[in-house]
């Protein structure tokens, strides 16, 4: 037995007694709400997460570790909401912090959004949120509290690497490295990468994401308050389906849209989902992963295309995969020029470190057919997006 399944099997065995709480999700939610504190209890925010836990509790083939993951996910968001609301009440100046001209890296997942974000993080003029900050957002804190927050991030990453050792070869999480807004946004489709919860989809499709992005801005205002102001460089593939809501809150944002053949991106992302879902759901239905995420990702691209028509051309930067995937040394200066940033010799000297494969990781292999998909399925679902990508490649 490999390293991953044995610790996972032991954890599932140890957590089996707490698994019974899955039968009473509302009671489990109230415990999470009590632990988070009263400021987390504003009704719309709490009710949305109550609904998510109800959906998650009914997931097919959810393991005890999967149920723990569900409660941890929701408990973290409730606790962060309580902390942010308390800080806003104690420091009214936080909401006056300007978040000027932020850069948002978007695009289908597995299209070099992480590499693009990492390259933009090189500049001393830029500020990227770190994983530990997204997991525990707060003010500039004393060393002991800071180390406690970093330790929390280390435990999360360590657990993922222990239970799903192949995950880091696909997306290498670093507790003190730049990470994506997905960890801070309250509501995303990522629960569907952990469990089979189709009941969550109709709610998600009709959800108003305006409040989510206003809250996201508050988180970055908290992280900026009392610290040197620099240009925020932010990233998440999941922003692609919510560009209108994003731009309503960040009207002067520059949108950096990365592009890659969706057949490659979908296959790679399905592989990532498989590795993550294996921790929480047993056995895994690979065809469900393929069908579900083909639908979700093609819908995201369609929404992004619709919103794109309303984005001023000067606020939009298209980044073909070849810019950084083939020749980072040539692509990085073009990227910086496109977002109006300075590319320096110091940035160039640090580029090889962020462009290289993380130490100890191996090449990621994947195949559409493993998930019941073929190129024709993807090409049909992404026909409009492929037309745009062809234009970008010609430009």
């Amino acid at each position: 037995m490999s390293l991953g399944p044995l610790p996972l099997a032991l954890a599932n065995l140890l957590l089996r007694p707490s698994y019974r709480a899955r039968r009473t999700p509302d009671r489990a939610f109230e415990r999470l709400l009590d632990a988070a504190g009263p400021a987390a209890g504003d009704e719309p925010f709490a009710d949305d997460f109550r609904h998510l836990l109800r959906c998650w509790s009914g997931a097919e083939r959810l393991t005890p570790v999967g149920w723990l993951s569900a409660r941890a996910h929701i408990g973290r968001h409730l606790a962060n909401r309580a902390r942010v609301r308390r800080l806003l009440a104690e420091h009214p100046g936080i909401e006056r912090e300007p978040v000027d001209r932020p850069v948002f890296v978007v695009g289908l997942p597995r299209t070099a959004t992480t590499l693009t974000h990492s390259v933009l993080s090189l500049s001393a003029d830029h500020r990227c949120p770190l994983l530990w900050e997204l997991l525990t957002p707060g003010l500039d804190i004393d060393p002991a509290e800071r180390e406690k927050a970093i330790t929390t991030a280390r435990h999360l990453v360590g657990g993922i690497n222990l239970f799903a050792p192949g995950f880091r070869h696909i997306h290498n999480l670093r507790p003190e490295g730049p990470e994506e807004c997905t960890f801070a946004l309250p509501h995303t489709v990522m629960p569907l990468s952990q469990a089979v919860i189709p009941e969550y989809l109709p709610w998600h499709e009709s959800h108003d994401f305006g409040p989510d992005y206003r809250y996201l801005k508050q988180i970055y205002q908290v992280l900026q308050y009392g610290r040197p102001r620099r240009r925020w460089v932010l990233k998440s593939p999941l922003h692609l389906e919510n560009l209108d809501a994003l731009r309503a809150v960040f009207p002067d944002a520059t949108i950096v849209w990365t592009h890659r053949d969706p057949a490659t991106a979908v296959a790679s992302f399905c592989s990532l989902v498989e590795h993550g879902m294996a921790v929480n759901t047993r056995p895994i239905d690979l065809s469900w992963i393929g069908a579900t995420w083909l639908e979700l990702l093609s819908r995201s691209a369609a929404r992004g295309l619709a919103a794109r028509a309303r984005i001023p051309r000067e606020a939009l930067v298209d980044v073909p995969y070849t810019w950084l995937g083939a020749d980072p040394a040539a692509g990085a200066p073009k990227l910086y020029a496109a977002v109006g940033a300075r590319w320096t010799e110091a940035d160039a000297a640090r580029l090889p470190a962020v462009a290289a494969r993380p130490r100890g990781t191996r090449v990621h292999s994947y195949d559409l057919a493993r998930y019941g998909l073929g190129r024709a399925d993807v090409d049909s679902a992404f026909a409009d997006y492929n037309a745009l990508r062809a234009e970008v490649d010609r430009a």
Side-chain angles (χ1 to χ4, degrees):
M1 183 175 287
S2 66
L3 180 62
L6 178 57
L8 185 59
L10 292 174
N12 278 322
L13 184 63
L14 292 172
L15 290 169
R16 188 160 292 281
S18 64
Y19 190 55
R20 289 191 293 269
R22 180 186 177 192
R23 302 170 189 163
T24 53
D26 284 352
R27 188 181 303 170
F29 181 82
E30 290 300 328
R31 287 196 289 268
L32 294 173
L33 197 59
D34 289 344
D42 55 302
E43 288 187 8
F45 191 89
D47 287 347
D48 287 346
F49 276 104
R50 187 190 302 274
H51 176 72
L52 174 57
L53 190 64
R54 285 172 179 167
C55 292
W56 218 324
S57 71
E60 298 177 16
R61 302 183 296 279
L62 189 69
T63 65
V65 166
W67 176 237
L68 175 67
S69 297
R71 288 177 292 150
H73 173 93
I74 290 170
R76 175 173 61 81
H77 280 288
L78 293 174
N80 286 344
R81 177 72 160 194
R83 185 185 308 105
V84 168
R85 284 166 60 89
R86 174 177 56 79
L87 290 172
L88 293 176
E90 293 173 354
H91 306 275
I94 290 174
E95 288 198 275
R96 294 193 293 272
E97 282 290 324
V99 181
D100 293 331
R101 301 172 50 249
V103 175
F104 281 87
V105 179
V106 308
L108 291 171
R110 315 306 297 164
T111 59
T113 55
T114 298
L115 178 57
T116 303
H117 190 224
S118 296
V119 169
L120 287 169
S121 75
L122 291 171
S123 174
D125 298 328
H126 294 164
R127 168 80 156 93
C128 297
L130 308 180
L131 178 58
W132 72 267
E133 293 178 311
L134 293 167
L135 294 174
T136 315
L139 302 183
D140 199 7
I141 50 182
D142 64 72
E145 287 297 310
R146 177 189 175 96
E147 184 58 32
K148 182 179 178 182
I150 293 173
T151 298
T152 297
R154 287 174 181 151
H155 287 162
L156 173 69
V157 174
I160 293 172
N161 291 339
L162 179 65
F163 292 153
F167 191 89
R168 67 190 182 95
H169 303 299
I170 309 171
H171 184 75
N172 187 44
L173 291 166
R174 294 181 295 132
E176 297 178 73
E179 256 306 331
E180 59 187 48
C181 305
T182 306
F183 289 95
L185 271 173
H187 303 292
T188 71
V189 291
M190 289 315 290
L192 289 159
S193 70
Q194 300 182 52
V196 181
I197 44 176
E199 298 83 359
Y200 182 58
L201 268 177
W203 179 92
H204 185 272
E205 289 174 357
S206 62
H207 180 61
D208 176 10
F209 283 91
D212 290 57
Y213 280 89
R214 290 192 289 274
Y215 174 54
L216 184 69
K217 181 178 180 179
Q218 290 176 336
I219 288 177
Y220 294 129
Q221 288 173 314
V222 164
L223 292 176
Q224 181 174 283
Y225 187 70
R227 297 158 174 157
R229 291 175 182 168
R230 293 177 286 163
R231 189 183 188 187
W232 282 100
V233 176
L234 308 166
K235 169 248 178 176
S236 174
L238 304 185
H239 291 317
L240 189 60
E241 66 175 352
N242 296 314
L243 289 178
D244 285 334
L246 184 158
R247 294 191 65 252
V249 176
F250 303 95
D252 60 348
T254 295
I255 305 299
V256 174
W257 188 332
T258 59
H259 298 279
R260 191 183 190 185
D261 179 1
T264 302
V266 169
S268 179
F269 189 70
C270 284
S271 176
L272 182 147
V273 170
E274 177 187 352
H275 281 79
M277 185 172 276
V279 176
N280 303 288
T281 302
R282 294 279 180 159
I284 301 173
D285 185 340
L286 297 177
S287 294
W288 183 89
I289 291 175
T292 298
W293 284 100
L294 177 64
E295 176 186 350
L296 291 175
L297 295 177
S298 60
R299 185 193 71 181
S300 177
R303 289 186 175 183
L305 288 173
R308 179 186 176 94
R310 296 181 284 275
I311 300 175
R313 191 64 193 91
E314 65 273 14
L316 182 64
V317 176
D318 289 308
V319 179
Y321 189 79
T322 53
W323 271 25
L324 298 176
D327 188 358
K334 288 195 294 185
L335 174 63
Y336 270 58
V339 302
R342 296 181 305 119
W343 178 251
T344 68
E345 291 183 4
D347 299 331
R350 291 193 295 270
L351 177 62
V354 301
R357 182 177 304 283
R359 181 177 299 177
T361 64
R362 60 175 180 264
V363 174
H364 175 211
S365 59
Y366 41 85
D367 181 10
L368 272 175
R370 179 172 175 81
Y371 307 100
L373 300 174
R375 171 169 279 279
D377 301 312
V378 180
D379 286 347
S380 175
F382 287 90
D384 291 340
Y385 171 71
N386 275 331
L388 167 66
R389 192 170 60 87
E391 291 179 13
V392 170
D393 288 343
R394 286 194 298 268

